[in-house]
Amino acid sequence: MATTQDTLPLLPEKPVKRRSRWWSVVVWLLAAPFLAWAALRLLGLDSGFPAVQLVAFTPYVAAASLVPLVVALLTKRVWPAVITAVATVALAACVLPRWIADSDPGPQDGPGLRVLSVNMLMGGADAGTIVALVRDLHVDLVALQEYTPEAKAALNAAGLDEMLPNAVSYPRPGVTGSAVYSRFPVTDLGYRHFPSDFGQAQAGVAVPGATDVRVESVHPCAPSDAHGASCWEHDIVQEPAATPEGAVNLLIGDFNATLDHEKFRAVLDKGYRDAADVAGAGFAASWPFDERWFIPGVVLDHVVADKRVGVRKVSVHRIPDSDHKAVFAELILPKG
């Protein structure tokens, strides 16, 4: 007589184990890029091409890291889930603070200074829109990059020199021109000329009731390829340090960098704060201006201020015929 054990078929153990092993491989393969990205960001290993470009998209990678974490949890892979969770938390710790306004925005009772940064895309940005922004936002100072002789003529024809009559102006063909226009008196402090041929207009600005202000219209070369990455690294390290006992330094412009770039964070370590980060507007993308689906928007343009400067608000604004949005910041200067 046959027993129950004799009549029941044996379970196919080997196929089940094989599927289990494949799932483990899949989960680890999904997790590995995020682990590598977290290490790159945390250790500041973004030097060279293409790392210097890729690290700009860290906020998107931080969000996407939830995918392998969910897969690991659903398939009950404990170690991949634990390690991916560590990477997700590390990336979130890097990017989420810029979405939250600082508890200490700096002094709020000194003289105000409203500033605007505009990359004019080889001088082609719509001058009328720029002048309208200056008027509507009651801007006191504009830093311009890629400022050409044609751009200078167009801006003046649109009335910029009437609203902001004081200027340090270095128009050049192409992408290396730079300018600072101000409502307040300015002193021409020269043109910081990088070996890459990019440069930055430097202006002393006399804001009534405030400590002396020094402004640069920032524009290191773009890390668009291997040569550009090297060029950008050489340019950005030359950004000046703040002078805590002297003039208030403002670096305003297109840094071609985000808060995820180690070289940009090194600039901040020279005595500065990023105004958008302070105001909780650190995800307000400035490039590309239309945030095309195949190039997610990133924050390349910044108002970087001496730590003595207070920040009230930061916003970005579209400029026709430029590939960057303009960045506006309302700052509070220390009293003179």
Side-chain angles (χ1 to χ4, degrees):
M1 180 176 179
T3 64
T4 303
Q5 185 175 2
D6 293 334
T7 59
L8 290 176
L10 295 175
L11 294 175
E13 293 182 359
K14 289 185 178 180
V16 171
K17 289 181 179 179
R18 190 178 299 118
R19 285 197 297 272
S20 178
R21 285 196 298 270
W22 274 112
W23 268 115
S24 295
V25 171
V26 168
V27 172
W28 279 116
L29 287 175
L30 285 173
F34 297 96
L35 302 178
W37 203 293
L40 179 148
R41 170 61 177 82
L42 291 172
L43 299 176
L45 302 177
D46 53 294
S47 181
F49 181 83
V52 70
Q53 288 185 322
L54 292 176
V55 77
F57 301 99
T58 294
Y60 299 98
V61 176
S65 69
L66 292 171
V67 173
L69 176 58
V70 169
V71 173
L73 291 172
L74 290 177
T75 58
K76 300 180 180 180
R77 266 51 186 184
V78 176
W79 281 112
V82 169
I83 294 175
T84 305
V86 170
T88 299
V89 170
L91 291 169
C94 290
V95 303
L96 287 181
R98 68 193 71 168
W99 190 37
I100 304 168
D102 284 11
S103 58
D104 178 17
Q108 300 292 302
D109 60 349
L113 183 69
R114 292 169 171 256
V115 304
L116 187 73
S117 173
V118 184
N119 182 313
M120 298 193 70
L121 186 57
M122 295 189 291
D126 185 72
T129 301
I130 296 170
V131 172
L133 272 178
V134 170
R135 180 183 62 249
D136 296 344
L137 297 173
H138 308 288
V139 170
D140 301 309
L141 182 145
V142 177
L144 300 168
Q145 305 90 47
E146 302 196 21
Y147 172 76
T148 64
E150 295 78 10
K152 178 178 181 179
L155 288 166
N156 289 344
L160 183 62
D161 59 344
E162 296 174 9
M163 288 187 286
L164 305 178
N166 307 294
V168 173
S169 173
Y170 290 90
R172 291 188 170 192
V175 299
T176 62
S178 183
V180 174
Y181 282 74
S182 171
R183 188 182 311 280
F184 307 116
V186 298
T187 302
D188 188 340
L189 300 179
Y191 177 83
R192 186 184 299 278
H193 193 185
F194 299 132
S196 63
D197 202 35
F198 279 69
Q200 302 179 175
Q202 305 171 86
V205 184
V207 179
T211 300
D212 290 342
V213 178
R214 181 180 177 127
V215 178
E216 289 202 31
S217 179
V218 173
H219 196 208
C221 66
S224 54
D225 53 25
H227 172 74
S230 176
C231 164
W232 172 81
E233 290 178 6
H234 283 92
D235 283 359
I236 199 167
V237 298
Q238 297 183 56
E239 299 299 345
T243 53
E245 304 302 324
V248 169
N249 278 29
L250 302 177
L251 304 179
I252 304 172
D254 173 13
F255 286 76
N256 280 309
T258 74
L259 283 164
D260 294 302
H261 286 95
E262 188 277 332
K263 292 286 191 300
F264 180 65
R265 297 196 302 277
V267 172
L268 298 180
D269 287 343
K270 294 179 180 181
Y272 297 103
R273 297 194 299 174
D274 179 79
D277 185 34
V278 173
F283 288 156
S286 64
W287 180 91
F289 82 99
D290 56 358
E291 297 180 5
R292 303 168 190 174
W293 66 268
F294 55 90
I295 306 180
V298 293
V299 184
L300 298 184
D301 303 80
H302 304 267
V303 174
V304 170
D306 184 311
K307 289 182 177 180
R308 294 172 289 172
V309 174
V311 180
R312 281 192 178 157
K313 65 181 295 186
V314 174
S315 56
V316 297
H317 304 267
R318 293 193 178 210
I319 304 291
D321 302 318
S322 173
D323 57 340
H324 289 248
K325 292 179 182 177
V327 177
F328 168 77
E330 185 175 349
L331 308 176
I332 307 298
L333 302 175
K335 296 177 181 178

